[in-house]
């Protein structure tokens, strides 16, 4: 066991013992800390569910194949990434294209998977066109759906706004770690973390390094 692991174990042990023997109650932040380092938190649970039950079924090879089929059929280049929106508010809007700057185009070729007792379950990925003053590009884009469950917990009074933000950050960090798997899924999937109360989606996307690099490469 490493020094870091020893420290985590000892800290958890002391906090737990103090509670068991009635020395004091754990604070909400201490409970969140203990659950997070032991992978028992809402954020970690949401991340592993999303990764195991969805992303592993579409990344990376399946996504790359579908992207190339789309490019061949429509004569349009796309970044070799699925961009996943992770708004700070955890509000998952019904539509991404509810703005003058974003237009829903088409779907990538559908992928059928037998999963959860459902035969030929169809997984669709939408392609959007982002256009700002003549600067435009298309990309595969969708929300991180599990975040809406964190919002539900907050709205039902189970967690506070601060705790929801903590769990959302934990979700993103855990998911990014999981995507660095043996299949290099992180190369075809990028999380877009942003404050949706301040920055609109189209501006956030244009400021994303991989998209800027893609736009430069298609111009040369």
């Amino acid at each position: 066991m490493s020094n870091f692991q020893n420290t985590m174990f000892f800290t958890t042990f002391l906090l737990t013992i103090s509670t068991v023997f009635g020395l004091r109650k754990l604070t909400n932040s201490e409970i969140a800390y203990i659950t997070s380092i032991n992978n028992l938190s809402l954020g970690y649970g949401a991340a592993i569910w999303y990764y195991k039950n969805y992303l592993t079924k579409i990344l990376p090879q399946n996504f790359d194949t579908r992207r190339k089929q789309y490019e061949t059929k429509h004569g349009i280049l796309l970044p070799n990434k699925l961009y996943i929106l992770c708004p700070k508010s955890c509000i998952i809007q019904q539509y991404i294209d509810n703005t003058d700057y974003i237009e829903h185009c088409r779907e990538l070729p559908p992928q059928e998977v037998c999963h959860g007792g459902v035969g030929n379950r169809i997984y669709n990925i939408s392609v959007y066109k982002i256009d700002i003053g003549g600067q435009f590009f298309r990309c595969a884009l969708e929300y991180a759906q599990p975040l809406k469950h964190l919002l539900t917990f907050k709205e039902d009074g189970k967690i506070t706004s601060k705790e929801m933000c903590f769990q959302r950050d934990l979700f993103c960090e855990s998911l990014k770690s999981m995507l660095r798997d043996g299949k290099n899924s992180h190369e075809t999937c990028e999380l877009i973390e942003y404050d949706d109360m301040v920055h609109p989606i189209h501006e956030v996307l244009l400021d994303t390094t991989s998209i800027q690099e893609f736009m430069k490469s298609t111009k040369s």
Side-chain angles (χ1 to χ4, degrees):
M1 187 178 290
S2 67
N3 290 335
F4 176 78
Q5 289 173 317
N6 281 326
T7 301
M8 294 299 98
F9 174 80
F10 186 64
T11 302
T12 303
F13 176 76
L14 287 179
L15 288 171
T16 304
I17 288 298
S18 67
T19 303
V20 170
F21 287 96
L23 299 179
R24 68 176 179 85
K25 292 183 178 180
L26 291 176
T27 65
N28 287 339
S29 61
E30 288 170 342
I31 293 172
Y33 171 74
I34 291 173
T35 56
S36 66
I37 63 175
N38 289 286
N39 294 337
L40 300 173
S41 64
L42 292 173
Y44 180 84
I48 196 168
W49 180 92
Y50 191 49
Y51 173 75
K52 291 287 188 180
N53 291 288
Y54 176 58
L55 293 179
T56 57
K57 300 184 186 309
I58 65 170
L59 299 173
Q61 186 60 45
N62 288 332
F63 176 79
D64 191 44
T65 299
R66 295 163 72 186
R67 175 187 62 83
K68 290 177 180 177
Q69 290 173 345
Y70 182 96
E71 291 178 336
T72 300
K73 182 176 180 179
H74 301 291
I76 296 171
L77 294 178
L78 300 175
N80 187 28
K81 284 182 182 288
L82 169 62
Y83 291 97
I84 298 180
L85 299 172
C86 301
K88 183 177 180 179
S89 71
C90 293
I91 296 174
I92 304 302
Q93 302 285 356
Q94 185 174 2
Y95 301 103
I96 293 179
D97 57 345
N98 57 349
T99 167
D100 293 336
Y101 303 103
I102 303 178
E103 175 187 353
H104 178 261
C105 298
R106 299 179 176 88
E107 317 294 327
L108 293 185
Q111 178 182 345
E112 293 187 358
V113 177
C114 294
H115 179 62
V118 179
N120 300 322
R121 183 189 291 268
I122 296 177
Y123 288 87
N124 283 320
I125 296 178
S126 294
V127 175
Y128 290 87
K129 178 182 178 181
I130 290 82
D131 189 340
I132 305 177
Q135 280 192 95
F136 69 89
F137 63 93
R138 293 173 176 83
C139 66
L141 182 66
E142 61 186 55
Y143 279 110
Q145 293 294 325
L147 292 181
K148 65 184 179 184
H149 301 304
L150 298 181
L151 180 62
T152 298
F153 272 95
K154 191 202 80 170
E155 292 175 339
D156 286 350
K158 305 301 182 184
I159 59 176
T160 65
S161 295
K162 183 178 180 180
E163 289 165 343
M164 184 191 73
C165 289
F166 175 83
Q167 294 299 332
R168 177 260 188 190
D169 291 344
L170 189 59
F171 167 84
C172 293
E173 291 306 312
S174 299
L175 187 56
K176 284 188 284 188
S177 177
M178 292 172 194
L179 287 169
R180 292 190 174 278
D181 52 24
K183 298 182 293 183
N184 293 323
S185 296
H186 66 282
E187 295 181 359
T188 52
C189 183
E190 183 170 344
L191 305 190
I192 306 294
E193 302 174 56
Y194 66 106
D195 188 342
D196 49 320
M197 297 294 122
V198 178
H199 304 292
I201 295 173
H202 60 274
E203 291 183 359
V204 173
L205 290 171
L206 277 178
D207 286 339
T208 301
T209 300
S210 61
I211 288 178
Q212 292 176 347
E213 293 174 348
F214 170 76
M215 292 176 69
K216 288 179 182 178
S217 68
T218 55
K219 288 180 181 179
S220 59

